[in-house]
Amino acid sequence: MLKRYQELPIGGVVVGGATPQLVKTGSWRSGQKPVYDQQRCIHCLLCWVHCPEATILIERGQMRGFDYEHCKGCGLCAEHCPTGAIQMLKETGGS
Amino acid sequence: MALKMLEREERTLLTGAEAAAHAMRQLRPAVVPVYPITPQTPIIETFAQFVADGLVDTEIINVESEHSAMSAAVGASCAGARVLTATSSQGLALMLEICYIASAMRCPIGMAVGSRALSGPINIHCDHSDSMMARDAGWIQIFCENAQEAYDLSVVGQRLAEDGRVLLPVMTIQDGFTITHSAEPVALLPDDAVAEFVGEYQALYPLLDTDHPTTQGPFALPDYYFEIKRQQVDAMANVGGVWSELQEEFAKLSGRYYRGVFEAYKLDDADYVYVILGATAGTAKVAIDRLRRQRKRVGLLKLWLFRPFPAREIAQALQGRKAVAILDRALSLGSWGPLYSEISAALNAISARPVLYNYIYGLGGRDIRPEQLMSIVNDLECEANADVQRFIGLRE
């Protein structure tokens, strides 16, 4: 239910943390998606640092993949990956 | 009591720029991001000297442009700081993109404006084209007649901006050179009196409060943008009431009472009224005094608040007058002067509507003299054609 103007915090402020999780930005992705090669990943987590949508899945300090529901396909993770473990691949329909 | 205080009070010879800088010092801003520009520069020069002398603990950010100055101001204000800055003309034009964002994000930034003509042609002298360009940016706009008003209304304006019912940025506008660079005796309040009057700024959602995380300045699509703009409408509607409340309190403190949202000078029995913003109101008072000696019933309505525009109060004040001369120190090319358009719209609420005349004057610092203002009354008395814009002091 969308709120009336009187019910919203002023100035467009969104109160509370981790709110990007509420928006499925993965639907914005067009063309390319990141994939990674487990053999080449050194778990430096630079991809996690640079991802603007917190889509890098981490378990016990280890890189475990991507949350494609939120990944916009911006390619920053691939750009910053020091070992070339992350590649942007052409997407052909679906996610 | 207040009057006695006033008599004993010491006055200091200050330019409008220095008066504004003293107000900034006493408001104790945490952050001042600023870029110099004529005729604002002496405001920030004077303030920077206060900081260098250790009289106020402020982080001045020397930015690379006014666009950056306003961007840094928004960031610091969201972080929770009281933020002040200053600009003029092209500087305000360069800031303007971020000025809209400052008001939408409800950052109560205080900005001293030394009003100056916009290029082109390039010019450094006073008119109101810069302030009028920014009239739709969601800022409170206060016009000052002299250095004393520039000081007083900077102090009151900052508290007004930070009031929880308002939370909007404020421009305190003084005419470039005419006020910024002219020295007048100014009564300053004691530092602690101003500190007590304005209090500390407590941001509603300070970004640096990491225990309470927020997202600020998010994308607002067609489902939310309209509601967020509507909130700004409410905030503007609250300004007039809060202004009156604060002016009463300020009058007790200073002995100077800014009653109502405009000054009414010899207005009570006036058949003919001049409406003016800024320093020319002083010239108009001289003109009106002379006209009164000729038994002409002329008065002045000098607006302090231009945004929000006090339409209801103005309509009441102008109801039943014979004619009103509205003096604009800016053009809205292809239409009437900005002040004229506002007043014309405001008068739709009343039946006994006076005839309105629009005069454009003082563009690019063109001088205006009492005799020129006095001659306007001839047009009003002889019911000259009101359907044309007139230009004072123009070679034509």
Side-chain angles (χ1 to χ4, degrees):
Chain A
M1 180 72 167
L2 293 173
K3 289 178 174 168
R4 298 185 305 142
Y5 82 89
Q6 300 94 330
E7 298 164 336
L8 291 167
I10 62 165
V13 168
V14 181
V15 178
T19 48
Q21 291 299 317
L22 304 176
V23 184
K24 301 244 170 107
T25 39
S27 66
W28 302 4
R29 200 170 62 246
S30 63
Q32 292 192 310
K33 70 174 183 181
V35 291
Y36 87 118
D37 177 353
Q38 292 187 36
Q39 305 303 317
R40 298 172 81 173
C41 176
I42 57 170
H43 305 287
C44 65
L45 305 189
L46 278 175
C47 52
W48 177 82
V49 169
H50 286 97
C51 175
E53 295 293 342
T55 69
I56 308 296
L57 303 174
I58 306 287
E59 272 173 38
R60 286 189 286 282
Q62 304 251 305
M63 162 64 169
R64 283 288 175 256
F66 303 93
D67 167 5
Y68 289 113
E69 280 200 331
H70 292 91
C71 170
K72 294 187 290 199
C74 68
L76 278 173
C77 53
E79 189 69 27
H80 287 280
C81 179
T83 64
I86 301 178
Q87 304 277 329
M88 297 303 289
L89 290 191
K90 195 172 178 194
E91 219 167 0
T92 47
S95 65
Chain B
M1 177 69 186
L3 283 175
K4 268 188 188 165
M5 267 174 53
L6 202 61
E7 284 163 19
R8 286 204 313 268
E9 185 172 69
E10 281 197 22
R11 292 180 186 233
T12 315
L13 192 65
L14 295 174
T15 63
E18 289 165 340
H22 274 285
M24 288 174 75
R25 173 180 64 74
Q26 294 181 320
L27 289 167
R28 301 187 304 179
V31 179
V32 171
V34 76
Y35 194 86
I37 185 167
T38 300
Q40 171 279 116
T41 306
I43 300 177
I44 186 57
E45 275 178 354
T46 309
F47 180 73
Q49 188 67 54
F50 293 150
V51 175
D53 292 345
L55 298 175
V56 55
D57 184 16
T58 296
E59 182 171 350
I60 293 181
I61 308 177
N62 289 307
V63 287
E64 69 275 31
S65 75
E66 286 87 354
H67 192 278
S68 301
M70 190 46 65
S71 300
V74 168
S77 181
C78 289
R82 173 173 292 154
V83 184
L84 304 177
T85 185
T87 198
S88 292
S89 185
Q90 305 309 111
L92 184 54
L94 189 51
M95 278 183 180
L96 193 57
E97 179 189 1
I98 314 301
C99 286
Y100 277 75
I101 296 169
S103 61
M105 291 182 72
R106 310 298 292 276
C107 298
I109 297 160
M111 176 153 69
V113 176
S115 221
R116 161 185 153 183
L118 283 173
S119 303
I122 186 167
N123 176 289
I124 57 167
H125 291 278
C126 177
D127 70 33
H128 297 155
S129 51
D130 52 1
S131 310
M132 288 301 164
M133 167 193 64
R135 69 190 187 268
D136 295 336
W139 286 55
I140 300 166
Q141 291 187 311
I142 304 171
F143 279 85
C144 305
E145 181 189 328
N146 51 42
Q148 184 70 62
E149 288 193 0
Y151 169 76
D152 290 341
L153 299 178
S154 297
V155 170
V156 177
Q158 192 58 32
R159 179 153 161 210
L160 176 66
E162 293 174 8
D163 189 283
R165 294 161 287 182
V166 176
L167 287 172
L168 291 172
V170 59
M171 285 177 209
T172 310
I173 301 155
Q174 50 175 305
D175 285 3
F177 289 108
T178 316
I179 304 302
T180 55
H181 287 61
S182 304
E184 302 172 63
V186 177
L188 300 178
L189 293 165
D191 291 356
D192 53 358
V194 175
E196 198 182 326
F197 178 77
V198 293
E200 296 286 328
Y201 171 54
Q202 301 287 346
L204 212 49
Y205 305 106
L207 263 183
L208 293 181
D209 179 3
T210 49
D211 290 335
H212 300 95
T214 55
T215 301
Q216 308 213 8
F219 202 30
L221 287 167
D223 55 354
Y224 277 112
Y225 181 93
F226 206 171
E227 279 68 27
I228 292 164
K229 299 314 285 184
R230 179 68 177 82
Q231 292 176 334
Q232 289 176 257
V233 174
D234 265 11
M236 274 289 177
N238 289 341
V239 169
V242 178
W243 164 280
S244 301
E245 215 174 271
L246 296 181
Q247 292 296 0
E248 275 187 37
E249 192 179 327
F250 185 78
K252 286 178 193 143
L253 190 69
S254 66
R256 294 181 293 278
Y257 190 16
Y258 295 82
R259 190 165 176 275
V261 284
F262 53 78
E263 180 183 348
Y265 184 79
K266 304 197 173 175
L267 196 59
D268 282 350
D269 64 342
D271 291 327
Y272 303 107
V273 179
Y274 292 16
V275 185
I276 294 182
L277 296 168
T280 307
T283 316
K285 287 172 185 173
V286 174
I288 285 166
D289 287 349
R290 291 185 192 167
L291 289 169
R292 284 276 174 178
R293 283 198 288 276
Q294 300 170 17
R295 301 182 181 284
K296 309 246 186 221
R297 283 148 67 117
V298 186
L300 167 71
L301 194 157
K302 177 191 86 183
L303 273 81
W304 288 305
L305 273 182
F306 182 76
R307 279 291 180 274
F309 193 76
R312 193 177 311 128
E313 292 86 343
I314 286 175
Q316 275 168 8
L318 297 182
Q319 177 154 18
R321 313 288 179 175
K322 283 184 183 161
V324 178
I326 297 151
L327 284 92
D328 271 291
R329 199 164 191 172
L331 289 166
S332 173
L333 289 165
S335 185
W336 298 94
L339 187 54
Y340 176 94
S341 297
E342 296 284 349
I343 289 176
S344 183
L347 294 186
N348 286 338
I350 59 170
S351 49
R353 188 184 168 100
V355 183
L356 303 184
Y357 291 81
N358 191 196
Y359 293 85
I360 305 293
Y361 76 98
L363 298 190
R366 178 63 52 87
D367 201 14
I368 179 134
R369 297 185 307 279
E371 305 77 50
Q372 292 171 306
L373 292 173
M374 287 170 73
S375 71
I376 285 177
V377 84
N378 300 330
D379 293 341
L380 309 193
E381 278 182 334
C382 74
E383 297 176 24
N385 177 19
D387 205 26
V388 290
Q389 201 166 41
R390 290 175 162 77
F391 302 89
I392 309 176
L394 176 80
R395 296 183 299 278
E396 61 183 333

